[in-house]
Amino acid sequence: MAQKKPFVTKEQAEAIASQYPTPFYLYDEAGIRANAQRLLDAFAWNPGFREYFAVKATPNPALISILQEYGCGVDCSSETELMLAEAIGMRGDDIMFSSNDTPSGEFAHANALGAIVNLDDITHVDSFVQAIGDQPMPETMSLRFNPGGDFAFANGIFGSPEDAKFGLTEPQMIEAAARLRDLGVRTLGIHALLASNTVTNDYYPALARTLFALAIRLHEEVGIGIGFVNLSGGVGIAYRPDESENDIAAIGEGVRVAFEEMLVPAGLGDVAIYTELGRFMMAPFGALVTRVIHEKHTYHDYVGVDACAANLMRPMLYDAYHHITVLGKEDAPLTHTYDVTGMLCENSDRLANGRQLPEVEIGDLLFIHDAGAHGHSMGYNYNGRLRSAELLLCADGSVRLIRRAETPADYFATLDVLPVGERLKQERP
Ligand SMILES: *Cc1c(COP(=O)(O)O)cnc(C)c1O
């Protein structure tokens, strides 16, 4: 079994914990940068290439600003995410707005920012026109495709688009493209996200072939300009130590071959390739660091930590595997089997089930791997639990607080009562 290596040592983590109480999220700037560069290198053959980071994965301005240095834009799906993008200086075609079931005001907001709006349904052409009122139609818009059926390639089925709520059918794509053309849209982008967390180098190339064929059809039958093909997210990471990681260079090369074979002969050699990766950009470079506070031995052996599903929901929600390293015991034999639990009053509040670990003691720090995407951002306040801080381990070794931990005042902020201490202060200042 390959070893998954934490990006900090026990000594480093203890030093950080002496300043910022556990649990906390820790992100690895050097890792984020090296990976972003690998993505750019993999698609350097396409002059228009751009990554639109999926904000929902890790909506932290300090982290997105790092990606901004690599030319990345952002993919937003809600008004608040649009506001976050705007707050860090994203404007116009820096922003892709890929939403679904979209409230009208959000179309208007996206359009006012000049974002590229990616429509999820044929009826949204009219919703969008209504939402923008007397504003002119944008020059460039995008449509989200759903081919139906199963999405099978490389001897496997990697998704069931037919059961996904997203996107337009092929006949709807043709009809919507013609409507957009008639409304004055000059350039169309096409988008699809057909599988999630794929651990294979074949997903993007297979998806590219599907979208390239559709792009050619739209170009020829509708006579609309094709500006970009957006391969969206879905490129996964190796959460388990026995999985092999995706090779982004091979993925980029697979897309290039499809591009040369299909788009170039069709006269569409200037189409830009866009991606909207979330997980691939951040997941391996963020960890949840939590301390063991209890051990319990009943019908199972439990390790109780100071984090819970309110900090990392994926194991509870999808039974997702997150590898755990007991810091300082990286090389110790895995002699024990534990359920690693949080303190929510929910039996499903577990960060791991039946996990082989070295003998764990109270006070140990656990490094929960691959939590850098869809981790902190999925956090919630069930049981009055508060979301943790986010910290950046900078490339120079220093540590920066990039989101403070929530306090009870944050929890009370949306209520019309005050915590008793605050009330007493107001009554007797
Ligand atoms: C969630 C999402 C992504 C990112 O997906 P990852 O699996 O994190 O890469 C990209 N685009 C859209 C529209 C999404 O909803």
Side-chain angles (χ1 to χ4, degrees), residues 51-57 75-77 96-100 118 144 166 191-193 195-198 204 230-236 275-281 373-374:
E51 151 72 359
Y52 287 85
F53 177 68
V55 169
K56 71 168 192 249
D75 168 37
C76 299
S77 59
M96 186 71 62
F97 187 58
S98 285
S99 63
N100 70 95
N118 182 31
R144 182 169 185 165
F166 305 109
H191 167 282
L193 175 49
S196 180
N197 191 35
T198 57
Y204 257 8
N230 185 346
L231 301 174
S232 190
V235 174
T275 57
E276 292 174 344
L277 296 168
R279 193 185 317 270
F280 183 81
M281 303 306 287
H374 313 295

Side-chain angles (χ1 to χ4, degrees), residues 359-416:
E359 180 165 19
V360 170
E361 290 153 280
I362 291 174
D364 279 346
L365 284 179
L366 304 188
F367 181 97
I368 303 183
H369 291 253
D370 302 320
H374 313 295
H376 189 282
S377 62
M378 273 192 192
Y380 65 124
N381 287 130
Y382 194 54
N383 260 184
R385 291 292 158 195
L386 303 174
R387 276 169 289 230
S388 77
E390 293 185 293
L391 306 170
L392 180 63
L393 176 63
C394 301
D396 66 5
S398 63
V399 171
R400 205 176 122 205
L401 180 67
I402 57 173
R403 186 194 299 270
R404 68 162 171 79
E406 288 178 346
T407 67
D410 296 311
Y411 186 87
F412 277 86
T414 52
L415 302 173
D416 65 356

Side-chain angles (χ1 to χ4, degrees), residues 78-322:
S78 69
E79 187 156 30
T80 323
E81 288 183 356
L82 285 172
M83 291 164 74
L84 189 75
E86 192 181 5
I88 58 177
M90 299 278 187
R91 294 289 183 284
D93 65 5
D94 298 334
I95 306 172
M96 186 71 62
F97 187 58
S98 285
S99 63
N100 70 95
D101 189 25
T102 312
S104 163
E106 304 200 354
F107 276 142
H109 193 145
N111 190 57
L113 288 177
I116 304 172
V117 175
N118 182 31
L119 300 176
D120 181 67
D121 186 44
I122 190 159
T123 64
H124 292 189
V125 175
D126 288 334
S127 307
F128 180 80
V129 168
Q130 261 183 6
I132 65 170
D134 50 13
Q135 298 299 305
M137 281 298 275
E139 292 240 320
T140 301
M141 291 200 78
S142 176
L143 293 172
R144 182 169 185 165
F145 179 45
N146 183 332
D150 286 329
F151 193 61
F153 57 91
N155 307 320
I157 292 173
F158 288 85
S160 290
E162 178 135 355
D163 296 325
K165 66 174 179 172
F166 305 109
L168 293 78
T169 67
E170 185 153 346
Q172 290 174 337
M173 289 290 288
I174 303 279
E175 193 183 329
R179 285 256 10 243
L180 291 176
R181 177 202 61 203
D182 296 344
L183 287 163
V185 171
R186 310 280 292 274
T187 310
L188 185 69
I190 58 175
H191 167 282
L193 175 49
L194 304 185
S196 180
N197 191 35
T198 57
V199 191
T200 155
N201 295 333
D202 298 320
Y203 169 66
Y204 257 8
L207 173 65
R209 285 178 189 275
T210 301
L211 291 180
F212 292 167
L214 179 62
I216 294 166
R217 185 168 175 207
L218 288 169
H219 182 63
E220 288 173 356
E221 289 182 27
V222 180
I224 193 165
I226 304 294
F228 62 85
V229 168
N230 185 346
L231 301 174
S232 190
V235 174
I237 62 150
Y239 283 100
R240 292 175 183 270
D242 56 356
E243 286 173 321
S244 49
E245 283 176 43
N246 284 323
D247 176 356
I248 197 66
I251 290 173
E253 176 59 14
V255 176
R256 187 192 68 78
V257 169
F259 190 94
E260 296 289 336
E261 281 177 21
M262 299 177 70
L263 288 188
V264 172
L268 293 174
D270 56 355
V271 166
I273 300 297
Y274 292 168
T275 57
E276 292 174 344
L277 296 168
R279 193 185 317 270
F280 183 81
M281 303 306 287
M282 287 289 179
F285 315 111
L288 174 59
V289 178
T290 181
R291 199 180 289 283
V292 176
I293 56 173
H294 291 287
E295 266 190 60
K296 171 168 178 166
H297 303 282
T298 53
Y299 310 105
H300 291 237
D301 291 320
Y302 295 98
V303 165
V305 296
D306 61 4
C308 63
N311 303 107
L312 179 62
M313 205 192 323
R314 297 186 72 256
M316 179 200 247
L317 196 59
Y318 317 116
D319 203 19
Y321 181 96
H322 280 268

